Amino acid sequence: MKIGVIGTGYVGLVTAVGLAELGHTVIGTDKIKAKIDKISLGITPIYEPGLDDLLRANLKKGTLSFDADQHRTIRESDVIFVCVGTPQQEDGSADMSQIEEVSRLIAENLNSYKVIVEKSTVPVKTSSWIKRIITLYKKTPNDFDIASNPEFLREGSAVSDFLHPDRIVIGVESQIARDLLTKIYEEFGDRLLVTDIATAELIKHASNSFLALKISYINLMSNICEKTGADVEQVAVGMGLDPRIGKQFLKAGIGYGGSCFPKDIRALVKIGEDLGVDMTLLKAADRVNDDRIKLFMDKVRKALWIFKEKKIAVLGLAFKPETDDIREAPSIRLIRELLKEGAWLRLYDPKAVDNMKELVPEQSPKVVYCNSPYQAAEEANVLLLLTEWEELVRLDLKKIKDAMANPIIIDGRNCYKPDEVRALGFEYDSIGRQ
Ligand code: UDX
């Protein structure tokens, strides 16, 4: 069995490499030839821990290859994983044009029976559209099946998530597709959940929206903590000890970002509303998240009073640690707000600087990118911690204090112990605690 993977972004590349690592013969393709050229040489266009090594090892083994010719890749594959983007549109719904384009491409190249697997996050019932497009455009009598196999990878630990999944969801409507996908994931047989396609599609949106809801919930509690003297970290521990709640995803902070949660929750709101379902619950979770930056700006204002020409060290730009991804990162909105107020920024991130430079170019003295957190802290009037990178959690705070003009830290991820930081002589504010 030959597997084709269309799209080599975060999901597609990890899927292609992961499937090859499971022992399958895999061809990856993408409409951007430059990307394929780079990946074929063993260079990943994204930072994802462990991905480079695994890519090179499987290229060397010969079971993994990449081909910029999408037509050929489809013709040579028995199973095709569709991993193209489904970005958010202005009304919150997912833009499905890339899925439609790939469906037509598959129809044109349907030279044998194939199983088309939706891997990208798609609205429930998307499979019916893919089926319709392929049926309309195909030029041969060859048959095909659609299946759904939603992706639950977390950026920063995607390789390990792929190779050690807690569940594999497979949505199918034919025995052949069921057998093929069960075979592909044979190694994880005990963790396989087989459903109909619509259910599998919805499991993905439902899971991500639930996790986003959980984060917004604890963030809401942090607002109450700040006004009452309660400690949100302890509230989270106390809640998490109840196994019905669980301790994960109860970390209060400046809000969730990334390529999934913000877009998926809005897409599900749109899907529900189009179906006439009241989606107030998820809309509120989205609004709580949206307010995080405003509340964080209030903290900065409380520390500085006036922003104009104040030097602000911003540590952590990626939407979470261990990634260079800044899509929907809270840092972007915060940087824009700070610049609007006339502040001068000194920015640092271990991996995401190049991506942020494309969005917010260097412009000394207003925007300066720094090579270390200590350089960013030089002469700063306040330091903002936005991403809990290990390097930033373990900062030499004494050295930071010596570098700063005014030793003030506002910690958006509760990385430090308030007593310890204050004992060093800092003014310190964080989220949902005194
Ligand atoms: C998420 C899902 O976890 C994954 O299953 C899905 O396939 C894709 O979306 P990802 O976006 O990579 O993965 O990151 P995740 O670790 O889930 O974090 C998302 C955001 O939530 C980050 O901005 C993170 O900082 C924030 N977060 C997470 C919190 O603010 N508090 C928490 O307790 C957990």
Side-chain angles (χ1 to χ4, degrees), residues 151-155 249 251 256-257 260 319-320 413:
E151 192 47 76
F152 300 106
L153 306 176
R154 288 163 303 172
E155 284 180 32
F249 278 71
K251 185 90 187 127
Y256 56 77
C260 291
F319 82 97
K320 62 184 258 188
R413 300 287 184 180

Side-chain angles (χ1 to χ4, degrees), residues 327-351:
R327 283 176 289 175
E328 295 267 352
S331 63
I332 299 174
R333 264 186 59 208
L334 190 75
I335 286 171
R336 294 210 161 118
E337 291 290 323
L338 293 168
L339 287 174
K340 224 183 337 174
E341 297 272 359
W344 288 2
L345 306 182
R346 302 178 63 76
L347 309 170
Y348 173 76
D349 188 280
K351 294 285 176 199

